[in-house]
Amino acid sequence: MTRPPSHAAVRHRVVRDFDTTFLLEAGAGTGKTTVLVARILALVRTGRAPLDRIVAITFTEKAAGELKLRLRDEIEKALETG
């Protein structure tokens, strides 16, 4: 019987596999926003997409606000470190 991939393996694939469309479904506090921010940053860093051409859809305004704040924080960190 084949074991399902570990959470780390799934997260790595979601962040790095740009040729696949993913649907993330998980409970609160499982890291969906963290993975989405990492994927967006990886798309920008690799030149696959400029930030102004990326769309992320959430189900609530609260989630959209959290995503925006986390993405801004990570972009600022990346700019500080070069």
Side-chain angles (χ1 to χ4, degrees):
M1 178 176 225
T2 305
R3 292 177 39 179
S6 71
H7 291 291
V10 171
R11 287 176 186 227
H12 181 77
R13 181 166 181 224
V14 169
V15 171
R16 303 282 181 241
D17 183 353
F18 303 133
D19 295 323
T20 302
T21 300
F22 294 97
L23 171 72
L24 298 178
E25 181 180 11
T30 57
K32 295 179 300 295
T33 302
T34 300
V35 170
L36 185 54
V37 167
R39 182 174 172 92
I40 291 169
L41 290 175
L43 284 164
V44 172
R45 282 184 176 129
T46 61
R48 288 289 297 244
L51 189 57
D52 65 352
R53 302 290 298 169
I54 297 173
V55 175
I57 299 171
T58 65
F59 286 102
T60 67
E61 288 184 30
K62 181 180 177 184
E66 178 69 22
L67 177 61
K68 180 176 81 171
L69 290 174
R70 288 208 209 166
L71 185 57
R72 181 180 296 146
D73 287 345
E74 291 302 318
I75 289 170
E76 288 174 358
K77 286 180 192 174
L79 290 171
E80 287 174 5
T81 60

